[in-house]
Amino acid sequence: MEPVPVLLAMTYRALGDQFHDRLRQIGLEPLRPAHGYVFRFLEEKRATTVDIGQHLGVTKQAAAKIANELDEWGYVLKEPHPTDKRAQYVTLTTKGRDYLKLADNLWSDLEAEMAEAIGADTLATVKQGLAAYLRHVRGEDRPGLRPIW
């Protein structure tokens, strides 16, 4: 059997692939995992493209490209920064918040399918174990979801 980190990575990839397949079936824009990280980052706040780039671990130009795509599709609103003429704030729109609700529902559906595949008790044990490990490594400080590229 594969080591735990490999199994976790493969499971994360399988779930992500299923998630994006369902987005395509619904007919949404060609959203990529990087977009999802931006949605979650902006869920509670507005941010500049520099902030987004730092969060994603990409250049300001790459972050601006992602923000422009999300703006063109109506998921975010870009507003002038009040003190920095070169910067813009990026904020989720109603469509962006609705997408987060849809994403949460899709993730719940995938989790239910996983429970069917491995058993609800097993899934509950896996979730408890992973949460305990995160508390062990990070304490109660739960950093935001970030890509690992």
Side-chain angles (χ1 to χ4, degrees):
M1 181 170 286
E2 303 288 344
V4 170
V6 173
L7 289 171
L8 288 171
M10 292 168 61
T11 301
Y12 177 73
R13 178 62 189 253
L15 287 166
D17 288 348
Q18 289 182 336
F19 178 85
H20 285 91
D21 286 346
R22 292 178 189 196
L23 289 179
R24 277 189 292 282
Q25 291 169 5
I26 294 169
L28 292 182
E29 293 80 8
L31 295 166
R32 300 182 312 277
H35 294 117
Y37 290 110
V38 173
F39 279 107
R40 291 295 172 195
F41 185 64
L42 296 175
E43 189 170 15
E44 300 296 326
K45 62 183 168 284
R46 65 184 183 169
T48 65
T49 53
V50 170
D51 298 331
I52 292 168
Q54 289 173 343
H55 177 72
L56 295 177
V58 300
T59 65
K60 178 185 162 208
Q61 292 80 7
K65 180 180 180 205
I66 292 169
N68 287 338
E69 289 172 334
L70 292 173
D71 181 50
E72 288 171 18
W73 296 328
Y75 291 109
V76 300
L77 175 66
K78 295 190 314 186
E79 306 169 278
H81 191 281
T83 59
D84 184 346
K85 299 280 187 224
R86 297 170 295 150
Q88 292 182 320
Y89 274 124
V90 181
T91 311
L92 287 178
T93 62
T94 300
K95 182 179 178 181
R97 295 198 177 283
D98 289 346
Y99 168 80
L100 279 173
K101 291 175 191 168
L102 170 67
D104 288 342
N105 289 333
L106 289 175
W107 287 122
S108 292
D109 292 347
L110 290 168
E111 188 173 312
E113 291 173 23
M114 183 181 277
E116 287 177 27
I118 69 172
D121 291 342
T122 300
L123 181 59
T125 300
V126 168
K127 287 175 71 170
Q128 290 170 355
L130 292 173
Y133 179 74
L134 288 173
R135 280 191 304 278
H136 171 74
V137 173
R138 302 273 186 189
E140 293 303 317
D141 181 28
R142 301 268 325 257
L145 184 62
R146 297 178 56 144
I148 54 171
W149 32 63

